[in-house]
Amino acid sequence: MQTRIREVRKAKRLTLAEVAQRCDPPTTAQTIGRLEVGLRTVSVDWLNRIAGALGVDASDLVRVDERPDVPVAALLTASGAEAPNRPMVLTPPRPASDMLGLRVDVSQGDYRAGDDLWLQRLPPERFSEAEHRDALAAQGVGGFAFGRVLSATPSAVTILPLTPGGKPVTLADPGWIAVAVRVVRTL
């Protein structure tokens, strides 16, 4: 099995030692290095441990022929567009099972008409993670509130709409909250 462990680790700017320490339980940098280059067999257990350490899904660490990677032609730096020092690829995003979508019909805040937002649902015990982020919250049957979350607990969420002059809205016992994690914009 061909893995992308090294590519993902380098894209996240982590050393072998940092990944090794983040594994549960921790391991050695040498072991991570051997797994990266194929000197040691990568089991499903190792894939899951390393994925957890890198904060990605285990499937993101495996090369899949039907999921094309996009080669990186250049990096946009403070000096302008420059060639990368080593080959790099972009992996097309894959939705997780807890993802929802929001299509922007009218520009608001940082979002333009035509943008698609990928939202990750949070369980009530994690609602506080939505604070100071843009999120969509369920409000009754078929109703929603979207904007910057000012405060969030399992029993109440306060959202500031992105429209100019919008007043904060407090939702009691929201059914769910989903935070914006990705914007897909066609240029």
Side-chain angles (χ1 to χ4, degrees), residues 2 41 43 95 107 127 132-133 141 149 177 186:
Q2 284 190 321
T41 303
S43 66
S107 297
F127 279 4
H132 311 295
R133 297 176 70 184
V141 178
V149 176
I177 296 176
T186 302

Side-chain angles (χ1 to χ4, degrees), residues 7-15 18 75 86 88:
E7 290 171 35
V8 174
R9 176 181 62 80
K10 289 190 177 247
K12 295 209 171 250
R13 292 183 160 80
L14 294 171
T15 66
E18 289 169 330
L75 303 174
R86 57 182 167 65
M88 299 172 74

Side-chain angles (χ1 to χ4, degrees), residues 26-48:
T27 187
T28 65
Q30 184 179 26
T31 298
I32 300 298
R34 287 179 175 165
L35 290 164
E36 278 187 355
V37 297
L39 293 176
R40 185 167 175 181
T41 303
V42 180
S43 66
V44 173
D45 180 57
W46 271 114
L47 224 68
N48 288 329

